[in-house]
Amino acid sequence: MKNHIYSGQLASHNEVINTSRLITQYYTLSPDPSNGAHNVVFGTSGHRGSSQRYSFNEAHVLAISQSIVQVRAQQGITGPCYIGKDTHALSEPAFMSVLEVLAANFVDVIVQKNNGYTPTPVISHAITQYNKNHHNNHSKKADGIIITSSHNPPEDGGIKYNSIYGGPAPTNITHTIEEIANKFLVNNLQHVHRMTLKNAWKSGYIHTQDFIQNYVKKLSTIIDIQAIKTSGLKLGVHPLSGSSIDYWQNIAQFYQLDLNLISEKIDKTFGFIHLDYDGSIRLDCSSEFAMAGVLKSHANFDLLLVNDPDCDRHGIITPLGLIKPNHYLIIAAHYLFNNRPLWRNRSLFIGKTYVSSTMMNHVAYDLSRQLIEVPVGFKWFVRGLFNSLFGFAGEESAGASFLDFYCSPWSTDKDGLIMCLLAAEMIAISDKSLQKYYDQLVQNFGISNYNRIQLPVNYTQKSIISNALFNQINMTELAGDPITRIINMGLLKNQISMDGVKIITHNGWVACRLSGTEPIYKIYCESFLSVSHRKKIEKEIISIIDNIINQS
């Protein structure tokens, strides 16, 4: 598959979003409930869409907010609801819509003071800490809502619900939210309770708090920040105009680190991001195309750290360049289990998704740790992290979290802040490059050639592929090798997700799945032999998908 002719270059003026128009469309365009593309759909992490596509408008957010109120009532949750937002243009109007509904339903909410932005992992951390302190009273447990479309393009908005365990709610809960919300849309928002924003602020149900200091001051319980400080590492941070700006400023000041932000400006158009592989502006801090501009600054620092707008993802850039997400997850897991003394006498698991590199399997075996593989979506790790069963859990899209020094949960959602700081700790402690660290593991465990391909699909094609792929695969060989196993990645503990299929041989594997948040079909492939072998696998599976679409 060829990349877009302009990938890695700055967008033209015409390709940068008009934020005013986008916000106007949020309020003025109404979804058609009979059009499936306009419906509420919770993917791997919440509902995402765009106001200009009739998939993220005021009606969606009001309906989802009221459905969350009903789900809270069904579960007997009466504690506070922590609400965070990122810097996407649609996040602010959606944030206001959520407040109007929750206050009208007499739900206590806690938000960042001074109308500040709050990263996804900070909301997760706040819920986790609150509920640890209220573990004897289920009804008083807290949950959360985060207004974010994460790394999605600038025109997108998103909203997700985090459970009492801190991270993304499980599939059965999000399915319920989705079903109730779509009924509200069909019934023209009848029975959706709402008050004006002015009255919501006067209601007594909205409470402000400084999330920043609480999170920053506790970082020394999960990261060896003193080692980073002593090492004298010169750190650079690019927050990509995201919600982590105030956090990195406070981290640098509180711990007196040699840490400088490349940019502290919030630009809701994200026009400074270079075009991704497909010619879109995508805020993917692990993409070498999207990060082409940021990479120009890496020579000024020993380590350059990047987060996406809601800070659940990490990008790690050394003098040798951007580290591939799978490579970093592998060395992070290996390092943590060898450098957290109190972890050694605990039977902690390592978690990975089906589509992450098999190198993690070798690391787990070498560490004598049980590996748990799950479908795509961090929700599968949430309760395991909350209950201190997983020491480390990560997915190939540059998202991970782990326990603190004392085997206690920190965030049960992906945490880009601690993953960035961990990279600095690893260099400070081991005194070697992260790329060299990975190369040593390859020497121990064998070669791996991994790749991810993303193919654009429309709404109709998504439906066709989703319904047909698993049933139409009747292969016995893949790239000349006998197939040893085919996994329906959507099945786990009697629950069904949007995931597709994984085909495995002795020499490699390929997995295919629809994105739950973008009009994209994803292909993940890994060969244990060579790059050419991997490309042969990719060519075969793309041909199968093309045939499915063309025959329908």
Side-chain angles (χ1 to χ4, degrees), residues 38-53:
H38 295 187
N39 287 347
V40 172
V41 178
F42 269 67
T44 51
S45 189
H47 170 75
R48 296 181 192 173
S50 182
S51 58
Q52 64 189 15
R53 298 195 302 270

Side-chain angles (χ1 to χ4, degrees), residues 53 64 80 105 121 138 255 262 267 290 334 343 371 386 397 433 468:
R53 298 195 302 270
I64 291 169
N105 284 275
H138 177 84
Y255 293 106
I262 293 175
D267 177 1
H334 188 271
W343 290 24
L371 181 78
F386 186 86
S397 56
S433 76

Side-chain angles (χ1 to χ4, degrees), residues 297-522:
S297 303
H298 80 279
N300 300 323
F301 304 99
D302 297 315
L303 190 63
L304 179 53
L305 309 170
V306 193
N307 294 123
D308 65 339
D310 77 317
C311 203
D312 70 340
R313 294 184 177 217
H314 56 268
I316 311 298
I317 302 172
T318 76
L320 297 178
L322 180 67
I323 296 181
K324 294 181 179 180
N326 267 295
H327 295 187
Y328 182 56
L329 293 181
I330 290 161
I331 60 177
H334 188 271
Y335 172 85
L336 284 167
F337 278 93
N338 281 294
N339 288 274
R340 295 295 185 264
L342 296 182
W343 290 24
R344 292 171 186 167
N345 296 323
R346 296 283 297 270
S347 299
L348 300 176
F349 304 148
I350 296 176
K352 70 179 278 276
T353 55
Y354 282 128
V355 299
S356 299
S357 173
T358 307
M359 281 285 286
M360 189 69 84
N361 301 55
H362 298 304
V363 167
Y365 181 81
D366 183 66
L367 294 169
S368 299
R369 298 287 176 170
Q370 183 176 348
L371 181 78
I372 306 295
E373 293 190 74
V374 302
V376 173
F378 213 76
K379 59 189 172 185
W380 304 108
F381 300 126
V382 171
R383 294 192 68 166
L385 284 166
F386 186 86
N387 293 314
S388 298
L389 299 177
F390 286 113
F392 175 89
E395 53 184 12
E396 59 78 37
S397 56
S401 190
F402 51 93
L403 301 182
D404 67 15
F405 286 118
Y406 312 101
C407 302
S408 295
W410 172 261
S411 64
T412 55
D413 210 329
K414 300 187 289 285
D415 194 326
L417 287 162
I418 61 171
M419 288 301 292
C420 283
L421 288 168
L422 180 65
E425 178 192 326
M426 291 166 66
I427 294 175
I429 296 294
S430 65
D431 196 31
K432 62 183 176 184
S433 76
L434 301 181
Q435 282 92 343
K436 184 176 181 181
Y437 196 145
Y438 178 77
D439 290 342
Q440 289 179 343
L441 293 179
V442 170
Q443 291 178 9
N444 294 338
F445 304 135
I447 193 170
S448 165
N449 291 282
Y450 182 98
N451 191 32
R452 181 183 70 186
I453 298 173
Q454 301 188 149
L455 305 174
V457 291
N458 59 38
Y459 180 80
T460 302
Q461 290 170 336
K462 284 184 72 170
S463 178
I464 291 170
I465 298 172
S466 180
N467 292 329
L469 181 60
F470 187 78
N471 293 330
Q472 288 198 20
I473 288 182
N474 53 10
M475 304 160 58
T476 58
E477 289 189 351
L478 179 66
D481 298 319
I483 293 173
T484 59
R485 189 182 180 194
I486 297 180
I487 301 174
N488 181 349
M489 297 190 297
L491 297 177
L492 183 74
K493 296 182 180 178
N494 299 318
Q495 298 186 50
I496 300 176
S497 74
M498 290 184 66
D499 287 307
V501 62
K502 182 175 181 178
I503 305 167
I504 305 169
T505 74
H506 285 298
N507 292 318
W509 59 268
V510 65
C512 315
R513 60 176 291 272
L514 289 166
S515 169
T517 57
E518 290 188 87
I520 289 172
Y521 200 81
K522 297 185 178 183

Side-chain angles (χ1 to χ4, degrees), residues 124-360:
S124 175
H125 179 262
I127 297 169
T128 302
Q129 299 304 307
Y130 182 95
N131 289 342
K132 281 172 60 180
N133 295 329
H134 294 78
H135 64 278
N136 291 325
N137 191 340
H138 177 84
S139 67
K140 288 295 183 182
K141 293 292 179 66
D143 55 5
I145 296 173
I146 306 165
I147 316 299
T148 176
S149 56
S150 192
H151 67 289
N152 274 38
E155 65 269 21
D156 284 6
I159 178 171
K160 70 174 185 175
Y161 176 63
N162 278 25
S163 74
I164 60 173
Y165 298 103
T171 304
N172 61 322
I173 291 179
T174 56
H175 276 177
T176 301
I177 294 172
E178 182 182 303
E179 289 174 3
I180 296 173
N182 283 320
K183 288 179 181 177
F184 282 133
L185 292 181
V186 169
N187 294 315
N188 198 29
L189 300 181
Q190 187 177 2
H191 302 304
V192 171
H193 303 295
R194 179 188 188 188
M195 63 172 60
T196 66
L197 184 64
K198 182 178 180 180
N199 287 337
W201 278 106
K202 290 181 178 180
S203 68
Y205 288 102
I206 302 177
H207 314 276
T208 62
Q209 183 176 312
D210 183 9
F211 296 134
I212 300 173
Q213 293 305 314
N214 181 53
Y215 182 92
V216 170
K217 289 180 179 179
K218 291 183 179 179
L219 280 169
S220 59
T221 67
I222 191 167
I223 297 291
D224 189 346
I225 296 186
Q226 185 59 40
I228 299 173
K229 181 179 179 180
T230 303
S231 71
L233 283 172
K234 186 175 179 60
L235 305 176
V237 171
H238 202 310
L240 300 186
S241 284
S243 60
S244 66
I245 293 174
D246 289 343
Y247 288 80
W248 282 115
Q249 290 172 336
N250 277 268
I251 289 169
Q253 182 177 3
F254 186 78
Y255 293 106
Q256 294 297 295
L257 300 179
D258 186 359
L259 187 156
N260 295 280
L261 273 69
I262 293 175
S263 173
E264 300 177 13
K265 179 183 178 182
I266 292 180
D267 177 1
K268 293 179 182 288
T269 71
F270 299 100
F272 61 91
I273 298 288
H274 289 229
L275 299 177
D276 206 0
Y277 68 94
D278 59 352
S280 301
I281 299 177
R282 185 175 288 104
L283 315 174
D284 185 353
C285 52
S286 65
S287 165
E288 61 182 0
F289 300 110
M291 293 298 99
V294 177
L295 281 163
K296 295 176 182 178
S297 303
H298 80 279
N300 300 323
F301 304 99
D302 297 315
L303 190 63
L304 179 53
L305 309 170
V306 193
N307 294 123
D308 65 339
D310 77 317
C311 203
D312 70 340
R313 294 184 177 217
H314 56 268
I316 311 298
I317 302 172
T318 76
L320 297 178
L322 180 67
I323 296 181
K324 294 181 179 180
N326 267 295
H327 295 187
Y328 182 56
L329 293 181
I330 290 161
I331 60 177
H334 188 271
Y335 172 85
L336 284 167
F337 278 93
N338 281 294
N339 288 274
R340 295 295 185 264
L342 296 182
W343 290 24
R344 292 171 186 167
N345 296 323
R346 296 283 297 270
S347 299
L348 300 176
F349 304 148
I350 296 176
K352 70 179 278 276
T353 55
Y354 282 128
V355 299
S356 299
S357 173
T358 307
M359 281 285 286
M360 189 69 84

